[in-house]
């Protein structure tokens, strides 16, 4: 909660849901008539039939748009709801922030009747993303302490279908790998303010890598080294949807 009370102020402007990712998430929810969004943040990707959002940060809740589902200020690890409260529960780019993963997944299993949908990232692939591998290895070391393997999540869910979510080159949701073909965005403090990896890593660890990136963009070295990316429409940066039927 402390992380998002400090970095969450920019989410409404930098973390706008991408319609292509929205379509994937809503498809994964299937025929669920009622949905609870756990670790809901500002409400990105919530379908119209969301009945409740669970979010520990008041700063994030305050940015939910008018007409959003009601929000309950609570943590994923202890949700004050009855068993089988909705057809489906979803948790999007949040499980790596939970203090007790097993407890949080247990709560998803408890409150959902039919299906659970989790959007996360495969750390083995995500940490090979050029920004981390080439410029921010120190940040990657911290990120590794919070990352959750997809296989572990699937096991905790009692088995899950795992789907790749390619990231479009013009993704509107400013998460870590969203700007894979727009490297200059990572030099923008407002963009970085909406990405938890930057917020949770010291400036001393981050700034040298950003300086190298700025130099490589100015000299053209980045474009030469990553010429293979420039004509691509999407990139597999490790983002995965896990879909568990109960």
């Amino acid at each position: 909660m402390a992380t998002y009370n400090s970095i969450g102020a920019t989410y409404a402007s930098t973390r706008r849901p991408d319609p292509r990712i929205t379509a994937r998430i809503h498809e994964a929810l299937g025929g669920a008539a009622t949905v609870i969004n756990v670790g809901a943040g500002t409400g990105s990707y919530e379908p119209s039939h969301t009945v409740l959002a669970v979010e520990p940060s008041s700063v994030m809740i305050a940015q939910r748009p008018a007409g959003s589902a009601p929000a309950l200020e609570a943590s994923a690890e202890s949700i004050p709801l009855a068993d089988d409260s909705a057809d489906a529960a979803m948790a999007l780019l949040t499980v790596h922030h939970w203090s007790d993963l097993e407890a949080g997944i247990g709560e998803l299993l408890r409150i959902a009747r039919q299906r659970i949908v989790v959007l996360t990232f495969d750390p083995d692939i995500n940490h090979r993303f050029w920004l981390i591998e080439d410029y921010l290895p120190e940040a990657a070391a911290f990120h590794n302490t919070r990352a959750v393997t997809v296989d572990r999540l699937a096991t905790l869910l009692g088995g899950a279908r795992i789907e790749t979510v390619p990231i479009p080159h013009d993704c509107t949701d400013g998460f870590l790998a969203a700007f894979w073909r727009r490297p200059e965005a990572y030099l923008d403090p407002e963009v970085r303010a909406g990405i938890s990896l930057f917020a949770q890593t010291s400036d001393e660890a981050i700034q040298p890598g950003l300086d190298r990136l700025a130099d490589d963009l100015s000299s053209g070295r980045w474009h030469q080294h990553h010429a293979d990316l420039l004509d691509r429409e999407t990139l597999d940066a490790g983002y995965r949807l896990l879909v568990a039927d109960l």
Side-chain angles (χ1 to χ4, degrees):
M1 181 175 68
T3 297
Y4 282 91
N5 278 342
S6 62
I7 76 169
T10 66
Y11 259 51
S13 59
T14 64
R15 298 296 298 268
R16 293 174 291 115
D18 186 273
R20 292 148 294 192
I21 298 175
T22 297
R24 292 293 305 274
I25 292 168
H26 291 188
E27 180 182 2
L29 288 166
T34 54
V35 177
I36 295 173
N37 186 12
V38 178
T42 59
S44 293
Y45 304 110
E46 287 178 4
S48 59
H49 44 287
T50 302
V51 294
L52 187 69
V54 178
E55 167 57 45
S57 168
S58 59
V59 170
M60 301 292 272
I61 290 173
Q63 295 178 80
R64 294 175 61 80
S68 296
L72 176 65
E73 190 171 337
S75 70
E77 296 87 349
S78 181
I79 302 173
L81 296 174
D83 296 357
D84 300 327
S85 288
D87 289 341
M90 68 181 198
L92 310 179
L93 295 178
T94 179
V95 298
H96 57 291
H97 293 298
W98 295 357
S99 61
D100 187 333
L101 180 66
E102 288 81 359
I105 296 299
E107 287 290 78
L108 297 184
L109 291 165
R110 186 182 64 80
I111 66 173
R113 287 189 291 267
Q114 299 173 3
R115 180 169 286 192
I116 295 172
V117 173
V118 175
L119 177 63
T120 186
F121 59 89
D122 182 330
D124 290 338
I125 298 174
N126 193 251
H127 292 168
R128 294 199 298 270
F129 174 47
W130 63 259
L131 177 68
I132 297 178
E133 188 170 64
D134 296 348
Y135 298 100
L136 301 176
E138 298 88 352
F142 172 80
H143 215 216
N144 276 332
T145 68
R146 303 297 300 275
V148 180
T149 67
V150 172
D151 287 345
R152 182 184 178 201
L153 273 176
T155 298
L156 290 172
L157 287 166
R161 182 171 76 253
I162 300 171
E163 302 178 359
T164 298
V165 182
I167 306 307
H169 72 92
D170 55 352
C171 183
T172 60
D173 189 350
F175 49 76
L176 178 62
F179 305 98
W180 59 269
R181 215 180 83 178
R182 295 167 289 169
E184 63 284 347
Y186 296 111
L187 303 179
D188 183 340
E190 184 175 5
V191 168
R192 295 199 305 273
I195 299 173
S196 62
L197 177 141
F198 288 102
Q200 294 176 306
T201 309
S202 69
D203 289 343
E204 291 78 10
I206 291 290
Q207 196 58 52
L210 294 178
D211 291 343
R212 291 196 304 274
L213 175 59
D215 288 344
D216 286 352
L217 289 172
S218 177
S219 69
R221 282 190 297 269
W222 186 93
H223 292 81
Q224 293 172 359
H225 187 64
H226 296 289
D228 60 309
L229 297 180
L230 301 181
D231 294 323
R232 296 190 61 167
E233 295 297 313
T234 64
L235 180 73
D236 179 7
Y239 293 90
R240 299 291 184 264
L241 267 178
L242 279 71
V243 184
D245 290 317
L246 306 180

